[in-house]
Amino acid sequence: MTTESPASAPEGDERAHRTVLLRRGEVHSPADPFATAMVVEKGHIAWVGSEGAADAFASGADEVVDLEGALVTPAFTDAHVHTTSAGLALTGLDLSAAGSLSEALALLRAHSAAHPEHRVLLGHGWDASRWPEQRPPSRLELDQAAGGRPAYLPRVDVHSAVVTSALLDLVPDVTDLDGYHPEGPLTRAAHHAVRAAAHAAVTPAQRAAAQRAALARAASLGIGAVHECAGPAISDEDDFTALLNLAAAEPGPRVLGYWAQEVASAEDARRIRELGAIGAAGDLFVDGALGSHTAWLHEPYADAPHTGAAYLDAAAVAAHVTACTEAGLQAGFHAIGDAALSAVVEGVRTASERLGLARVRAARHRVEHAEALTPETVAAFAELGLTASVQPAFDAAWGGDSGMYAQRLGVERARTLNPYAALLRAGVPLAFGSDSPVTPLDPWGAVRAAAFHRTPEHRISVRAAFTAHTRGGWRAVGRDDAGVLVPGAPADYAVWRTAELVVQAPDDRVARWSTDPRSGTPGLPDLSPGADLPVCLRTVVFGQTVFDRPNE
């Protein structure tokens, strides 16, 4: 990919307001399925079309980019991110690769020795279900590995954590809180308390470095926007506002912020907006997570004699949705277990009976994760206009007959999780994300995971999955004019080095006409398992380059 700037180009123009012609590539656009060129002007798409017509724009362009056969697509939107935590995982102790308990302890020991300046040791990503020991570290083992220092190590799902004795000493009365365990992982209120203490030890400089690291990683993967899912149970207001300010001041992906706090009045809604949030949604917890045995189920876990944790009931859901809808604010919830999703549906339906179904549907309320859906709750999502903000990498990581889902629920229940095909058939809007740092930022990997779901009947086409990870994220925030390369849309796009483009359908249930070149269906990279994923060469947000791969 080469770039030329004509000598006559005006000096001093901001890059976002320049006219750029991209040509001699493949442009993924519904406006022209065979487009090879695109013009960007004043931060928006001005034209897409054929190479032959591109000559007419060359003389008026401030910059001409020879794509040399590269693919141009809309930039991805990651619809569920915890930016600071994702950055701390990138800059801190990453335990996701630990293959055993002993290896995790060795990594903690080395991290402690390498960072004597850190007040609290922060790590992330351990998953005892993948270790041969099949257990988390004990407090004594952690104390020894950390050298007696405070340490906070959340499980991969971030709904439980193991901590050292020195960190517990920083949390008065933690032993009296719900979810405290003298040896095992902390959950619920006890977990929230130790997390707050650990994050309070992060300096503003550490926090800013983590945020920049996460946003830089996102940009390098062709992600042009992230939905920050923050809230008082996850972070704090200073972290949230600092992130929004940083994103507004520095080039990088757009950050669209949600603040997950219950709304009971117009004053509450006003406070949400004052923080800079676009909705009282994201991780407003109705339940926890399957891996930590805190997702709320109708029937007990297969490997634990209880049904998880319920944080909000249907009445609380109804009150929040009612107040948000009346205030013109988007509401949303974190709900994973089937009982949690039933409570959400019941609560939203109650709100629609109070306010009118059309008014509730128009608000585009959303549900995060939505893993244990049933045919009844899928139908209710469609009826109530709920967006399903989901993470296909969860199935790739934990699905299958021998994965964590099957351990927690048994094989038959596990096979019902993450039913993307059923959601699409019902007309439920999908928005894809990573929940990073729970799973890594990896948009093409997420598209592949949805198209090659471990349960075949839940698979969707690559095209549908790609749409959910681009346009779907914009629709989830109420924008129907973005996430697609058509004239008038914001110029948020990515340039990719990839192999031949194809049209992939999961199986014969998808009409085969769409795979015929004569159908005019734009192609996408081959995402078959084992195939190389596309490499991002450039990411552009509102016409401004926020990532350029070196030496390309």
Side-chain angles (χ1 to χ4, degrees), residues 100-196:
S100 65
L101 170 59
S102 59
E103 186 176 342
L105 292 170
L107 289 170
L108 174 59
R109 193 175 296 110
H111 184 74
S112 176
H115 296 282
E117 76 282 6
H118 288 181
R119 288 183 285 174
V120 174
L121 302 173
L122 300 173
H124 172 77
W126 61 270
D127 185 355
S129 70
R130 296 182 176 182
W131 294 345
E133 297 91 346
Q134 287 289 297
R135 69 171 181 86
S138 69
R139 190 150 300 138
L140 177 60
E141 290 170 327
L142 287 177
D143 289 345
Q144 292 173 342
R149 299 169 64 191
Y152 168 70
L153 306 176
R155 189 186 179 278
V156 64
D157 60 16
V158 202
H159 283 267
S160 61
V162 290
V163 302
T164 59
S165 301
L167 182 60
L168 291 177
D169 291 341
L170 301 179
V171 186
D173 304 322
V174 66
T175 57
D176 298 328
L177 296 177
D178 181 36
Y180 175 79
H181 192 284
E183 278 300 321
L186 307 185
T187 61
R188 305 177 184 175
H191 174 224
H192 294 164
V194 295
R195 174 166 57 192

Side-chain angles (χ1 to χ4, degrees), residues 29-432:
S29 172
D32 183 345
F34 305 108
T36 60
M38 181 172 80
V39 173
V40 174
E41 191 173 57
K42 296 182 180 179
H44 290 79
I45 308 301
W47 172 85
V48 293
S50 65
E51 180 58 35
D55 287 335
F57 297 95
S59 62
D62 300 315
E63 181 180 352
V64 178
V65 178
D66 186 344
L67 295 167
E68 299 176 356
L71 170 67
V72 182
T73 71
F76 285 103
T77 294
D78 192 312
H80 193 117
V81 174
H82 304 287
T83 307
T84 302
S85 293
L88 289 171
L90 291 170
T91 59
L93 173 58
D94 183 3
L95 295 172
S96 61
S100 65
L101 170 59
S102 59
E103 186 176 342
L105 292 170
L107 289 170
L108 174 59
R109 193 175 296 110
H111 184 74
S112 176
H115 296 282
E117 76 282 6
H118 288 181
R119 288 183 285 174
V120 174
L121 302 173
L122 300 173
H124 172 77
W126 61 270
D127 185 355
S129 70
R130 296 182 176 182
W131 294 345
E133 297 91 346
Q134 287 289 297
R135 69 171 181 86
S138 69
R139 190 150 300 138
L140 177 60
E141 290 170 327
L142 287 177
D143 289 345
Q144 292 173 342
R149 299 169 64 191
Y152 168 70
L153 306 176
R155 189 186 179 278
V156 64
D157 60 16
V158 202
H159 283 267
S160 61
V162 290
V163 302
T164 59
S165 301
L167 182 60
L168 291 177
D169 291 341
L170 301 179
V171 186
D173 304 322
V174 66
T175 57
D176 298 328
L177 296 177
D178 181 36
Y180 175 79
H181 192 284
E183 278 300 321
L186 307 185
T187 61
R188 305 177 184 175
H191 174 224
H192 294 164
V194 295
R195 174 166 57 192
H199 286 178
V202 176
T203 67
Q206 280 180 290
R207 180 177 64 203
Q211 292 169 348
R212 289 190 179 98
L215 294 175
R217 174 65 64 87
S220 75
L221 296 169
I223 297 170
V226 300
H227 297 184
E228 166 66 14
C229 292
I234 301 168
S235 53
D236 57 45
E237 292 184 2
D238 287 344
D239 179 88
F240 183 63
T241 56
L243 172 63
L244 296 182
N245 291 337
L246 183 147
E250 301 180 7
R254 303 174 191 256
V255 176
L256 306 166
Y258 286 98
W259 186 252
Q261 191 161 9
E262 288 183 75
V263 171
S265 66
E267 180 58 35
D268 291 342
R270 185 160 45 251
R271 177 58 183 156
I272 297 287
R273 290 194 174 96
E274 287 172 352
L275 287 174
I278 60 173
D283 277 335
L284 182 53
F285 296 116
V286 177
D287 68 345
L290 290 165
S292 292
H293 293 99
T294 52
W296 181 18
L297 307 177
H298 284 303
E299 300 295 332
Y301 285 85
D303 60 350
H306 60 80
T307 56
Y311 301 137
L312 295 177
D313 60 14
V317 169
H320 181 68
V321 171
T322 299
C324 286
T325 305
E326 289 179 327
L329 194 65
Q330 190 181 25
F333 304 92
H334 162 119
I336 287 178
D338 53 1
L341 289 161
S342 294
V344 168
V345 164
E346 182 184 345
V348 178
R349 183 172 284 123
T350 298
S352 72
E353 291 168 355
R354 295 173 184 168
L355 303 173
L357 179 59
R359 191 174 177 189
V360 169
R361 285 178 58 89
R364 301 194 191 189
H365 303 309
R366 53 189 282 172
V367 181
E368 310 301 315
H369 316 309
E371 293 178 64
L373 288 160
T374 64
E376 292 75 21
T377 48
V378 168
F381 268 48
E383 172 198 355
L384 299 167
L386 297 173
T387 294
S389 171
V390 295
Q391 296 75 39
F394 287 6
D395 177 74
W398 304 313
D401 290 356
S402 60
M404 182 273 287
Y405 286 155
Q407 294 175 29
R408 295 292 185 267
L409 302 177
V411 171
E412 291 306 312
R413 272 197 292 176
R415 287 175 180 168
T416 69
L417 298 184
N418 303 305
Y420 303 141
L423 287 164
L424 282 181
R425 284 195 302 270
V428 176
L430 292 182
F432 281 179

